[in-house]
Amino acid sequence: ETGVTQTPRHLVMGMTNKKSLKCEQHLGHNAMYWYKQSAKKPLELMFVYSLEERVENNSVPSRFSPECPNSSHLFLHLHTLQPEDSALYLCASSVKSDGRPYEQYFGPGTRLTVT
Amino acid sequence: RKEVEQDPGPFNVPEGATVAFNCTYSNSASQSFFWYRQDCRKEPKLLMSVYSSGNEDGRFTAQLNRASQYISLLIRDSKLSDSATYLCVVNLPGSQGNLIFGKGTKLSVKP
């Protein structure tokens, strides 16, 4: 399945590095999301973009910086991360219309390790 | 009370068994409900939406009880390939369609 793709699939970075995660959706959706999934925790919503505008930032530290240049692409820029930021970062997309919650489709995720 | 609560399991069942999971949600204004499955170290994948009247897709049946604020998933004739974690998902009312995910119920189907 190639509806939502993410790169890289695995990333190891030091606390002083700067890296970016990329997500691309080929489903014609107009909303995109970043989630964090840590061990034994439910998915945590980080950011929501609707029609390329950020509509939600769930109190995410500023060391995570999202960017949505168009409705098909979403980035998550990372800098000066902490070891506790190690997790699976998932991108998702959905249709978004009049606030109705449509099902979301996920990319394969980037497994991030911060050393 | 947690927004979406599930029994973490694991549920260990033999092939061919019928197994049921329940999930409770806290916000009575929630309108949309889904079941996702997540295989180990993979992304969540939509299994089925849950409609008010209940719905069935092959061996899978989903039910919604609004009065008691719970959702159920029934799997009949379990297959080895059904082994996964099943995530209960509910929309967050008042948000722009955001979803709240439960921690999931782990199912292990044994031969």
Side-chain angles (χ1 to χ4, degrees), chain A residues 6 40-41 43 45-46 91 98:
Chain A
Q6 288 186 245
K40 302 194 177 179
K41 285 188 176 181
L43 269 73
L45 180 63
M46 299 175 73
C91 172
D98 297 328

Side-chain angles (χ1 to χ4, degrees), chain B residues 6-89:
Chain B
Q6 297 182 251
D7 180 343
F11 284 58
N12 297 308
V13 303
E15 265 188 295
T18 295
V19 62
F21 309 135
N22 285 336
C23 162
T24 57
Y25 60 95
S26 60
N27 196 318
S28 60
S30 290
Q31 303 169 326
S32 296
F33 311 91
F34 309 94
W35 284 103
Y36 280 71
R37 76 170 269 168
Q38 186 171 23
D39 292 281
C40 188
R41 302 182 74 81
K42 296 280 185 75
E43 75 274 23
K45 293 188 177 177
L46 179 68
L47 181 66
M48 59 198 302
S49 302
V50 185
Y51 303 123
S52 298
S53 54
N55 47 303
E56 188 174 310
D57 182 2
R59 298 182 292 109
F60 299 85
T61 301
Q63 297 277 354
L64 168 63
N65 184 317
R66 285 190 186 274
S68 301
Q69 292 179 215
Y70 79 79
I71 310 150
S72 64
L73 177 67
L74 182 77
I75 305 176
R76 289 181 298 278
D77 188 24
S78 300
K79 312 289 185 194
L80 297 177
S81 57
D82 294 333
S83 298
T85 296
Y86 290 83
L87 306 176
C88 174
V89 184

